Amino acid sequence: MTLHRVARAADIPEDRGLEVSVQDSKILLLKVGDQLRAYQGECPHAGAPLAEGAFCNGRLTCPWHKAQFRIEDGGLCEPPALDSLKRYPLEVRDDEVWVGDQPLQDAHTPPADDERVFVIVGAGAAGTAAASALREKGFGGRVLLIDRETAGYDRTVLSKFVIAGQTPPDEVPALRDEAFYGEQRIERINAQVTSLDAENRVMQLADGQSLEYDAALLATGGIPKPLELPGAELPQVFVLRSRDHARRILDSAKPGQRAVIIGDSFIAMESASALRQYGLDVTVLARQPVPFAKQFGDSVGKAILALHEANGVVYRTAGEAVQIEGTTRVEAVRLDNGQRVPADLVLVGIGVTPATVAFADLPKEKDQSLLVDGGMRVTDGLWAAGDIATFPLNGQPQRIEHWRLAQQQARIAAANMLGGDEHYLDVPYFWTWHFGKNYDYLGHAQGWDEVEFKGDPNNPPFIGLFGKNGVVTAAVACEEERTMAMLAERMKQPLPVDEAWRLIRD
């Protein structure tokens, strides 16, 4: 290893990092009290420049997707990153900072000195995060990761980039590379769980195999709600939840064709943006006059709708689909008002149902989700996370279909499977992508009595705060990454609206 002179100590700001280069590696220099640290300069999740992130309460928050790391040692605090930051050797000589060109050695896999067996059902966002966290937290027993698909991948890109033709289905990023599973002794089982005996801690697989476990996490996600209409069985009627779904859509879709999207969910509207960019004529059959008004409020919802319409998307609220017309191919969508919308393909985006059919013996909520406590526990020895979990948030039971939230819940479950007592005390966060613009949302506001914006939602950058009884309940923004990264940490405690605006404007 060789040390390289990269900066003067006096050039490193107090409230953010300084990015430097060592050979071909980007390095982030941080001041931690009266000491300096050198970490990898790009977030291990998606490569965001961490120098553009925010420092708050001893944490560094990624500007893009709000992963968090301890500034003291680079340790992972919050996903969607699954790894801590690599740390580099650093020396200060007469105010000059020297950094090594090789990172310090990572922690190794815990020794196999534990006879317990932990089973994770589902290898998506939550399942993969839980498997990673178990090893990170020192569990040395067997980890079995069961899924019908062979490995987890980033589903968030499907509706944003894959069906836009920008990311080939086979290049969708894996959540973990192949080497990770071998190095960490995580055993993957390509199978489907058909039943669960929680009292005796036994699972049955479709191939007849029985698995006994000491602790288990259920992270099976959601199943797209089907369209129950005449003609919905035609081959050009699609849902979008998996890489295979995206591949089938791309195999069918051709620029110049007419796509009808049924629904105005986030998946539906992201798909409208993607298919329009792929060159299709897109019509959205919506239930709401303004998309996302419930989450983002009318101003931002109308701005996103205007963005879609400016790019040629037709947004229709008059008439509900009652039939898909066609004999061997989709020809049109018939509405209940008698109108007919010509179509070459139909994409259904009307929500998901928790994938809990295999867990017939467990009590379920009306929406078929599993009720968990604040530590993600269903019952003794059994936890659940992600789309299938209804959990307490601010004293109210909630089920939230957010990618990052699923990973946070999984890390909490992993800690508690090991005997911890962790609870969800964070701020829900998600992002949505439309025609090249990324919208960030923090919180889970079910109502507000004030809303104020800095900037114009129709002409980003902007940020809006939603308040109730003088406290921030949610924030929405576009092109305000550092500010939202700061709020991701500050909103973990009640944040008065006035104080939030002082932070934003300073």
Side-chain angles (χ1 to χ4, degrees):
M1 183 194 71
T2 304
L3 291 175
H4 301 260
R5 186 175 59 188
V6 294
R8 295 188 307 130
D11 293 335
I12 303 172
E14 297 284 346
D15 60 346
R16 64 184 62 182
L18 175 68
E19 184 181 286
V20 297
S21 293
V22 174
Q23 295 182 332
D24 295 328
S25 298
K26 294 179 180 178
I27 305 294
L28 181 70
L29 303 181
L30 299 179
K31 280 188 177 177
V32 183
D34 58 356
Q35 298 183 333
L36 299 180
R37 298 283 189 273
Y39 299 118
Q40 66 185 83
E42 296 177 325
C43 181
H45 168 234
L50 292 175
E52 297 178 12
F55 285 5
C56 189
N57 296 338
R59 293 186 173 189
L60 168 63
T61 303
C62 169
W64 289 1
H65 305 117
K66 313 306 178 275
Q68 291 188 331
F69 310 91
R70 291 188 299 270
I71 63 173
E72 177 64 33
D73 59 7
L76 175 65
C77 301
E78 299 289 351
L82 298 178
D83 292 307
S84 299
L85 297 179
K86 293 179 181 177
R87 186 173 170 184
Y88 287 77
L90 180 148
E91 293 182 10
V92 179
R93 306 170 185 170
D94 298 325
D95 197 51
E96 292 184 336
V97 180
W98 295 70
V99 174
D101 53 18
Q102 298 295 323
L104 297 171
Q105 187 173 2
D106 292 336
H108 58 274
T109 307
D113 57 358
D114 193 321
E115 295 183 354
R116 290 177 294 174
V117 176
F118 286 4
V119 174
I120 300 169
V121 185
T128 305
S132 300
L134 287 172
R135 289 301 189 226
E136 171 198 327
K137 297 176 185 297
F139 178 60
R142 292 180 69 192
V143 176
L144 309 183
L145 186 60
I146 305 173
D147 201 295
R148 286 178 294 180
E149 296 191 79
T150 54
Y153 52 87
D154 187 351
R155 283 193 174 94
T156 67
V157 306
L158 299 177
S159 58
K160 296 174 173 69
F161 306 116
V162 175
I163 64 170
Q166 298 171 9
T167 301
D170 292 336
E171 294 180 16
V172 172
L175 296 177
R176 285 297 195 184
D177 60 30
E178 286 296 316
F180 171 82
Y181 298 99
E183 291 168 356
Q184 298 295 322
R185 292 186 290 101
I186 295 171
E187 303 170 46
R188 289 182 291 168
I189 300 175
N190 187 205
Q192 182 175 352
V193 174
T194 56
S195 66
L196 169 68
D197 181 348
E199 183 176 355
N200 294 302
R201 304 192 183 189
V202 178
M203 290 181 187
Q204 298 292 332
L205 305 186
D207 62 5
Q209 185 180 177
S210 294
L211 290 178
E212 297 182 2
Y213 63 85
D214 294 284
L217 171 67
L218 307 179
T220 45
I223 300 171
K225 292 179 180 177
L227 190 65
E228 296 179 350
L229 296 178
E233 73 285 351
L234 287 169
Q236 297 81 34
V237 178
F238 302 100
V239 295
L240 179 57
R241 184 71 177 183
S242 70
R243 186 162 43 196
D244 285 342
H245 290 156
R247 190 177 285 112
R248 291 174 202 153
I249 292 169
L250 287 174
D251 287 344
S252 177
K254 301 292 185 293
Q257 287 184 330
R258 299 160 298 185
V260 172
I261 296 178
I262 298 177
D264 50 19
S265 64
F266 283 99
I267 290 293
M269 295 302 291
E270 288 186 350
S271 297
S273 167
L275 290 176
R276 185 74 189 110
Q277 291 178 90
Y278 195 55
L280 280 75
D281 295 330
V282 177
T283 298
V284 175
L285 302 181
R287 297 179 177 178
Q288 304 298 327
V290 178
F292 317 144
K294 180 180 178 181
Q295 297 88 358
F296 293 167
D298 276 349
S299 295
V300 177
K302 287 177 179 177
I304 295 175
L305 175 56
L307 178 63
H308 275 258
E309 292 179 334
N311 282 278
V313 173
V314 177
Y315 189 85
R316 296 184 56 149
T317 57
E320 186 173 332
V322 294
Q323 180 183 355
I324 310 299
E325 295 185 349
T327 51
T328 60
R329 295 190 60 83
V330 167
E331 296 175 5
V333 179
R334 178 73 63 177
L335 308 183
D336 59 1
N337 59 12
Q339 294 182 345
R340 182 176 182 271
V341 183
D344 298 296
L345 67 87
V346 173
L347 194 153
V348 182
I350 56 175
V352 302
T353 299
T356 56
V357 172
F359 316 129
D361 293 338
L362 295 176
K364 299 186 181 70
E365 301 295 283
K366 288 182 179 180
D367 64 358
Q368 300 304 301
S369 63
L370 303 176
L371 184 66
V372 301
D373 64 16
M376 303 296 123
R377 190 189 317 268
V378 179
T379 188
D380 287 347
L382 186 66
W383 286 259
D387 292 358
I388 66 170
T390 292
F391 72 108
L393 179 66
N394 300 324
Q396 298 296 321
Q398 301 285 350
R399 188 175 71 85
I400 302 176
E401 298 165 5
H402 293 177
W403 176 268
R404 179 176 181 261
L405 179 68
Q407 295 176 309
Q408 290 174 310
Q409 292 178 339
R411 288 179 59 81
I412 291 168
N416 294 339
M417 291 164 77
L418 293 170
D421 187 27
E422 294 191 10
H423 293 76
Y424 185 83
L425 299 172
D426 212 299
V427 181
Y429 164 78
F430 71 93
W431 66 97
T432 185
W433 181 271
H434 304 268
F435 293 103
K437 294 192 179 299
N438 192 68
Y439 297 83
D440 286 340
Y441 182 82
L442 281 165
H444 189 68
Q446 296 183 297
W448 53 84
D449 53 30
E450 62 177 309
V451 58
E452 184 179 351
F453 289 92
K454 172 191 172 186
D456 182 359
N458 289 286
N459 186 25
F462 78 88
I463 185 168
L465 296 183
F466 300 86
K468 190 169 185 179
N469 299 325
V471 175
V472 176
T473 57
V476 61
C478 182
E479 299 176 12
E480 289 280 4
E481 287 86 359
R482 188 192 295 274
T483 301
M484 290 292 275
M486 177 269 295
L487 289 176
E489 179 63 26
R490 292 299 296 267
M491 285 173 59
K492 291 179 181 179
Q493 301 295 326
L495 179 62
V497 173
D498 290 346
E499 182 181 342
W501 280 121
R502 285 195 296 272
L503 291 169
I504 290 169
R505 289 169 173 147
D506 283 349

